[in-house]
Amino acid sequence: MSTHASDPLAALGSLPGVADSVDSVRKAVDRVYGHRVMRRRSNEITSEAALRGARGSAALSGADWALEEVRRRTDFGGDAEARTVGAALRLGAEAGQLLSIWRQSPLRVLARLHLVAVGDAAPGPASADGALKAASADGAASASGAASEEWGDSVGRPRQLGETVDEPLIEAPLPDPAEVAGRLDGLSELIIAGGTAPALVTGAVVHGELLALRPFTSYNGLIARAAERIVLIGSGLDPKSICPAEVGHAEQGRAAYLAAFEGYLSGTPDGMAAWIAHCGRAVELGVRESTAVCEALQRGAA
């Protein structure tokens, strides 16, 4: 049996233009990791990347706040936009805590991410730093008790027949719960089995599939982008989580994001290649963002 036959994701790596995207992303990531600031201040770059990535992901989900507003705010429990930003911050912090579980049980991780996203939906004060810290491995365990009553018992599990989905950006037809369950199982099996596909390809597929399925009643876009981040970190492409693809997805704009996602939904070779290239460009723009942070720190301006 060929490698491509046993590893469907590897076959995507041979689509036209995908190898070039993979190579371009690797070179960009290597450059920022080689920056002299990374040798002594990598933790600061990681923290700033998490903040900026959360801002970008929230923007795509309808909460397009300025970075300084995200940094300044002390309450993420008010209106829907504030809750979206708070959820994005918590997911950004949680992503790096779940790598070992992801390789063994991706579905557990996805359930956890939904729990974390919804967990602080009830009004309550939380600074940006506090929201980042609140999703630590221990802190998130108690999030279920804080979940807002508006979500009922749907938190942390795939949606059931008759349940609606709150996802303001994605208007594609919604697969029924049975299809969602089957496709999630298939995605999980691919991740657990591992394979030879580049991290960019795997991350793009995980992201696209979760957007297509929208398995939860809320925050699916945020979770899809957080899952892509987990893949990029866990694969070793971005082990310090300093290349926030969410920044690049937001920078390319909602229209471009949706157009690329239509390519994923089409399932055609050209469509899939376009989606993977879009995700690759998002990582490169995230690299550019963190490189600018490195330069600012080097100048003493940040």
Side-chain angles (χ1 to χ4, degrees):
M1 182 180 291
S2 71
T3 299
H4 286 181
S6 60
D7 183 1
L9 297 185
L12 296 176
S14 64
L15 292 175
V18 170
D20 290 339
S21 293
V22 169
D23 185 55
S24 182
V25 165
R26 168 51 73 186
K27 289 177 178 176
V29 172
D30 286 348
R31 282 195 299 271
V32 71
Y33 269 85
H35 198 286
R36 63 173 59 187
V37 168
M38 283 295 296
R39 289 198 294 269
R40 49 197 170 81
R41 304 181 73 174
S42 65
N43 288 343
E44 293 174 67
I45 308 302
T46 297
S47 295
E48 190 65 19
L51 186 71
R52 294 178 184 225
R55 192 221 72 82
S57 192
L60 283 173
S61 286
D64 192 1
W65 290 11
L67 180 64
E68 290 312 311
E69 175 70 5
V70 177
R71 201 189 302 278
R72 179 190 68 80
R73 282 290 286 263
T74 58
D75 182 2
F76 295 96
D79 59 23
E81 286 195 9
R83 293 197 298 273
T84 295
V85 174
L89 286 164
R90 292 190 300 277
L91 288 171
E94 184 76 353
Q97 309 291 328
L98 299 172
L99 301 179
S100 61
I101 305 173
W102 175 258
R103 299 184 190 103
Q104 299 168 10
S105 181
L107 299 186
R108 278 182 59 202
V109 170
L110 294 175
R112 170 88 163 207
L113 291 176
H114 191 235
L115 180 71
V116 168
V118 176
D120 199 32
S127 66
D129 286 342
L132 286 168
K133 293 173 182 175
S136 66
D138 293 331
S142 62
S144 58
S148 172
E149 290 183 3
E150 70 178 289
W151 304 114
D153 66 352
S154 68
V155 179
R157 64 154 174 78
R159 56 185 168 81
Q160 298 173 354
L161 198 62
E163 290 182 330
T164 58
V165 171
D166 178 18
E167 183 54 54
L169 182 61
I170 307 300
E171 298 180 352
L174 199 63
D176 66 45
E179 181 180 349
V180 169
R183 288 170 63 175
L184 282 178
D185 284 342
L187 183 65
S188 177
E189 289 169 5
L190 285 174
I191 293 165
I192 292 169
T196 61
L200 173 63
V201 171
T202 303
V205 169
V206 167
H207 182 169
E209 189 70 353
L210 292 175
L211 276 186
L213 297 179
R214 281 147 288 161
F216 302 105
T217 55
S218 58
Y219 297 125
N220 289 288
L222 296 181
I223 290 169
R225 293 183 287 275
E228 178 184 43
R229 175 180 283 255
I230 289 172
V231 172
L232 299 180
I233 299 170
S235 67
L237 176 66
D238 181 22
K240 293 183 182 292
S241 191
I242 62 166
C243 307
E246 304 96 323
V247 168
H249 286 303
E251 189 170 330
Q252 292 179 89
R254 282 179 149 208
Y257 185 73
L258 290 174
F261 177 56
E262 285 296 326
Y264 179 86
L265 288 176
S266 75
T268 65
D270 286 348
M272 294 297 292
W275 171 247
I276 294 166
H278 182 89
C279 291
R281 180 59 178 157
V283 176
E284 291 185 63
L285 290 170
V287 167
R288 187 175 72 178
E289 187 87 354
S290 287
T291 300
V293 173
C294 287
E295 294 293 333
L297 286 171
Q298 186 168 286
R299 295 191 305 268

